[in-house]
Amino acid sequence: RFFSSFWAGDYGNAELYCRRVLSLPSAKTPVFQSIYFTFYRGLIGFLRFRDNESEEQYGIGLDAITKIEFWLQFSRSNFENKLYLLKAELEASMRNLDAASKLYEASVKSANDCGRVHEKGLAFEFMGNFLSSVADDPTGARACMKKSHACYLQWGALGKAAILREKYNLNDDALERDPTSSKHERHE
């Protein structure tokens, strides 16, 4: 339910599921899912911090950065784009607009270079949210959401793409293939 809530953009319920999972003794066992749990929870932490200035949420984001930095030494291709995205959210939370923009772009490039189309879509989505809310750039935000939408379609996440299409009123021109796609991504 955590992952479903996260990808649906229901960050409140995703956070609730986080708390439930953390209360279980098995949550202390490192498993593959804990990587994504840590990553998504960190993103939610920074989003929630910006929404209500909760220091606890900010700490959750910082904790995720620390863990991803540690894991990066074992696999740059798996963790680099995640670290860039978390650091972009940190900078956005601190209102460091130039640093945040550069880190969002680095996350997109890293995800693209490693063929992680879903994480590229996520980076574009978060960059779009940043441009819309923090940087007050609705044109740039819409362009990012269109690119995110295209990535989710390419990944096969039709439900996630539909959420973006409806939420941001994306029309058929958003269905075009993203020209920055890497050679690693599935082509149809």
Side-chain angles (χ1 to χ4, degrees):
R1 289 182 181 177
F2 169 73
F3 293 115
S4 297
S5 295
F6 179 86
W7 282 104
D10 185 359
Y11 302 122
N13 272 331
E15 181 183 7
L16 175 68
Y17 292 124
C18 278
R19 293 181 188 278
R20 288 182 184 169
V21 168
L22 288 173
S23 70
L24 302 172
S26 62
K28 304 301 180 199
T29 307
V31 293
F32 176 75
Q33 289 87 351
S34 71
I35 293 167
Y36 284 99
F37 182 81
T38 298
F39 175 50
Y40 298 154
R41 188 166 187 248
L43 292 173
I44 292 168
F46 287 127
L47 287 172
R48 307 280 295 185
F49 172 74
R50 284 199 302 272
D51 284 346
N52 63 18
E53 302 296 317
S54 166
E55 292 297 321
E56 176 189 2
Q57 296 298 322
Y58 181 76
I60 289 169
L62 290 178
D63 183 55
I65 287 175
T66 301
K67 288 178 181 176
I68 299 289
E69 283 176 333
F70 175 75
W71 294 332
L72 180 68
Q73 67 183 319
F74 302 108
S75 178
R76 181 164 296 283
S77 65
N78 282 324
F79 297 106
E80 183 178 66
N81 72 297
K82 293 172 182 66
L83 182 60
Y84 284 142
L85 187 52
L86 284 166
K87 286 187 171 185
E89 285 295 298
L90 169 64
E91 295 297 337
S93 295
M94 305 316 303
R95 304 286 195 242
N96 297 329
L97 305 185
D98 289 336
S101 293
K102 289 176 185 171
L103 287 162
Y104 285 117
E105 290 170 9
S107 181
V108 167
K109 182 182 182 323
S110 177
N112 186 65
D113 290 350
C114 294
R116 299 191 188 294
V117 70
H118 64 297
E119 291 181 1
K120 179 179 167 185
L122 187 64
F124 274 129
E125 183 179 355
F126 273 71
M127 186 188 321
N129 287 332
F130 160 75
L131 291 172
S132 175
S133 62
V134 179
D136 194 29
D137 178 3
T139 303
R142 184 165 179 76
C144 284
M145 290 306 177
K146 286 181 177 185
K147 289 177 183 178
S148 178
H149 180 264
C151 289
Y152 292 141
L153 285 175
Q154 184 176 359
W155 186 39
L158 303 181
K160 178 63 177 175
I163 290 169
L164 285 183
R165 186 174 49 250
E166 184 177 318
K167 184 174 181 179
Y168 298 100
N169 195 27
L170 301 177
N171 51 23
D172 289 340
D173 64 335
L175 302 177
E176 297 173 12
R177 193 173 179 284
D178 179 9
T180 63
S181 294
S182 77
K183 63 184 177 212
H184 303 289
E185 296 170 358
R186 183 182 69 198
H187 299 280
E188 300 180 310

